[in-house]
Amino acid sequence: MPSFVVTGVFRHWRGEVYELDVESEPAAIVVTQEHPFWSVDRNAWTAACALRAGERLQAQDGRTPRVLSFKPRDGVQPVYNIEVEGRSQRQKNDLTPSNADYFAVII
């Protein structure tokens, strides 16, 4: 796996996070509400909070798993946005490519 230089880290002390359940994923994907996913049904990047049950997402391996649920996680927790040098695409996992130089990391 290639490595990249992190050029900036931005902490949000009280981030609201959510659990996105997707078929064939072993556990819920923990995301911020604006985290983008590619919706096969809309043929567009779509914020996690706008996804609906049954909507198909595009996985890197060609699968199109369906959204099962999107629900808030109890409490707030730190969320970090990370800037990576010279990159125009990021991936948190196989379902969440993003077309920004920043992406959120939930710890």
Side-chain angles (χ1 to χ4, degrees), residues 46-76:
T46 305
C49 65
L51 296 170
R52 300 291 174 243
E55 192 163 348
R56 293 175 300 142
L57 304 178
Q58 182 65 59
Q60 281 189 323
D61 64 4
R63 293 177 301 118
T64 56
R66 294 190 183 274
V67 171
L68 301 175
S69 67
F70 179 78
K71 57 189 173 221
R73 197 173 217 195
D74 290 337
V76 294

Coordinates of all heavy atoms in Angstrom, one line a residue, residues 46-76:
T46 N -23.1 11.4 -2.8 CA -24.2 11.7 -2.0 C -23.8 11.7 -0.5 O -23.1 10.8 -0.1 CB -25.3 10.7 -2.2 OG1 -25.7 10.6 -3.6 CG2 -26.6 11.0 -1.4
A47 N -24.1 12.7 0.2 CA -23.8 12.8 1.7 C -24.5 11.6 2.4 O -25.6 11.3 2.1 CB -24.3 14.1 2.2
A48 N -23.8 11.1 3.4 CA -24.3 9.9 4.1 C -25.7 10.2 4.7 O -26.6 9.3 4.6 CB -23.3 9.6 5.2
C49 N -25.9 11.4 5.1 CA -27.2 11.8 5.7 C -28.4 11.8 4.7 O -29.5 11.7 5.1 CB -27.2 13.1 6.5 SG -26.9 14.5 5.4
A50 N -28.1 11.8 3.4 CA -29.1 11.8 2.4 C -29.4 10.4 1.8 O -30.3 10.3 1.1 CB -28.7 12.8 1.3
L51 N -28.6 9.5 2.2 CA -28.8 8.1 1.7 C -30.0 7.5 2.3 O -30.4 7.8 3.5 CB -27.6 7.2 2.0 CG -26.3 7.6 1.3 CD1 -25.1 6.8 1.9 CD2 -26.4 7.4 -0.2
R52 N -30.7 6.7 1.6 CA -32.0 6.1 2.1 C -31.8 4.5 2.1 O -31.1 4.0 1.3 CB -33.1 6.4 1.2 CG -33.4 7.9 1.1 CD -33.9 8.4 2.5 NE -34.0 9.9 2.5 CZ -33.3 10.7 3.3 NH1 -32.4 10.1 4.2 NH2 -33.5 12.0 3.3
A53 N -32.6 3.9 3.0 CA -32.6 2.4 3.0 C -32.9 1.9 1.6 O -33.8 2.3 1.0 CB -33.6 1.9 4.1
G54 N -32.1 0.9 1.2 CA -32.3 0.3 -0.1 C -31.5 0.9 -1.2 O -31.4 0.3 -2.3
E55 N -30.9 2.0 -1.0 CA -30.1 2.7 -2.0 C -28.8 1.9 -2.2 O -28.2 1.4 -1.3 CB -29.8 4.1 -1.6 CG -29.2 5.0 -2.6 CD -29.3 6.5 -2.3 OE1 -30.1 6.9 -1.4 OE2 -28.7 7.3 -3.0
R56 N -28.4 1.8 -3.5 CA -27.2 1.0 -3.8 C -26.0 2.0 -3.8 O -26.0 3.0 -4.4 CB -27.3 0.3 -5.1 CG -28.4 -0.7 -5.1 CD -28.6 -1.3 -6.5 NE -29.1 -0.3 -7.4 CZ -28.7 -0.2 -8.7 NH1 -27.9 -1.2 -9.2 NH2 -29.1 0.7 -9.4
L57 N -24.9 1.5 -3.2 CA -23.6 2.2 -3.2 C -22.6 1.5 -4.1 O -22.8 0.3 -4.4 CB -23.0 2.2 -1.8 CG -23.9 2.9 -0.7 CD1 -23.2 2.8 0.6 CD2 -24.3 4.3 -1.1
Q58 N -21.6 2.2 -4.6 CA -20.6 1.5 -5.5 C -19.4 1.2 -4.6 O -18.8 2.0 -4.0 CB -20.2 2.5 -6.6 CG -19.2 1.9 -7.5 CD -19.8 0.7 -8.3 OE1 -20.7 0.9 -9.0 NE2 -19.2 -0.4 -8.1
A59 N -19.0 -0.1 -4.6 CA -17.8 -0.6 -3.9 C -16.7 -0.7 -5.0 O -17.0 -0.8 -6.2 CB -18.1 -1.9 -3.3
Q60 N -15.5 -0.6 -4.6 CA -14.3 -0.7 -5.5 C -14.3 -2.0 -6.2 O -13.8 -2.0 -7.4 CB -13.0 -0.5 -4.7 CG -12.7 0.9 -4.4 CD -11.3 1.0 -3.8 OE1 -10.9 0.1 -3.1 NE2 -10.7 2.1 -4.1
D61 N -14.7 -3.0 -5.7 CA -14.7 -4.3 -6.3 C -15.8 -4.6 -7.3 O -16.0 -5.7 -7.8 CB -14.6 -5.5 -5.3 CG -15.8 -5.6 -4.4 OD1 -16.8 -4.9 -4.6 OD2 -15.8 -6.4 -3.5
G62 N -16.7 -3.6 -7.5 CA -17.8 -3.7 -8.4 C -19.1 -4.0 -7.8 O -20.1 -3.9 -8.4
R63 N -19.1 -4.4 -6.5 CA -20.3 -4.7 -5.8 C -21.2 -3.5 -5.7 O -20.6 -2.4 -5.7 CB -20.1 -5.3 -4.4 CG -19.4 -6.6 -4.4 CD -19.1 -7.1 -2.9 NE -18.3 -6.1 -2.2 CZ -18.6 -5.4 -1.1 NH1 -19.8 -5.6 -0.6 NH2 -17.8 -4.6 -0.6
T64 N -22.5 -3.7 -5.5 CA -23.4 -2.5 -5.3 C -24.2 -2.9 -4.1 O -25.4 -3.1 -4.2 CB -24.2 -2.2 -6.5 OG1 -25.0 -3.4 -6.9 CG2 -23.4 -1.7 -7.7
P65 N -23.6 -2.9 -2.9 CA -24.4 -3.2 -1.7 C -25.4 -2.1 -1.3 O -25.2 -0.9 -1.6 CB -23.3 -3.3 -0.6 CG -22.2 -2.4 -1.1 CD -22.2 -2.5 -2.6
R66 N -26.5 -2.5 -0.7 CA -27.6 -1.6 -0.3 C -27.4 -1.0 1.1 O -26.9 -1.7 2.0 CB -28.9 -2.3 -0.4 CG -29.2 -2.7 -1.9 CD -30.7 -3.2 -2.0 NE -30.9 -3.6 -3.4 CZ -31.3 -2.8 -4.4 NH1 -31.5 -1.5 -4.1 NH2 -31.5 -3.3 -5.6
V67 N -27.8 0.2 1.2 CA -27.9 0.8 2.5 C -29.0 0.1 3.3 O -30.1 0.0 2.9 CB -28.2 2.3 2.4 CG1 -28.4 3.0 3.8 CG2 -27.0 3.0 1.7
L68 N -28.7 -0.2 4.6 CA -29.7 -0.8 5.5 C -30.2 0.2 6.4 O -31.5 0.2 6.6 CB -29.0 -2.0 6.3 CG -28.5 -3.1 5.4 CD1 -27.8 -4.2 6.3 CD2 -29.6 -3.8 4.6
S69 N -29.4 1.1 7.0 CA -29.9 2.1 7.9 C -28.8 3.2 8.1 O -27.6 2.9 7.8 CB -30.3 1.5 9.3 OG -29.1 1.0 9.9
F70 N -29.2 4.3 8.6 CA -28.4 5.4 8.9 C -28.9 6.0 10.2 O -30.1 6.4 10.3 CB -28.4 6.5 7.8 CG -27.5 7.7 8.1 CD1 -26.2 7.6 8.0 CD2 -28.1 8.9 8.5 CE1 -25.4 8.7 8.3 CE2 -27.3 10.0 8.8 CZ -26.0 9.9 8.7
K71 N -28.2 5.9 11.3 CA -28.7 6.4 12.6 C -27.6 7.1 13.4 O -26.4 6.8 13.2 CB -29.3 5.2 13.4 CG -28.3 4.1 13.6 CD -28.9 2.9 14.2 CE -27.9 1.8 14.3 NZ -28.4 0.5 13.9
P72 N -28.0 8.1 14.2 CA -27.0 8.8 15.0 C -26.4 7.8 16.1 O -27.0 6.9 16.6 CB -27.8 9.9 15.7 CG -29.2 9.5 15.5 CD -29.4 8.5 14.4
R73 N -25.1 8.1 16.4 CA -24.4 7.4 17.4 C -24.6 8.2 18.7 O -24.5 9.5 18.6 CB -23.0 7.2 17.0 CG -22.2 6.2 17.8 CD -20.9 6.0 17.2 NE -20.5 4.6 17.3 CZ -19.3 4.2 17.1 NH1 -18.3 5.0 16.9 NH2 -19.1 2.9 17.2
D74 N -24.7 7.6 19.8 CA -24.9 8.3 21.1 C -23.7 9.2 21.4 O -22.5 8.8 21.2 CB -25.1 7.4 22.3 CG -26.5 6.7 22.2 OD1 -27.4 7.3 21.6 OD2 -26.6 5.6 22.8
G75 N -23.9 10.4 21.9 CA -22.9 11.3 22.3 C -22.1 12.0 21.2 O -22.5 11.8 20.0
V76 N -21.1 12.8 21.5 CA -20.3 13.4 20.5 C -18.8 12.9 20.8 O -18.5 12.4 21.9 CB -20.3 14.9 20.6 CG1 -21.7 15.4 20.2 CG2 -20.0 15.4 22.0

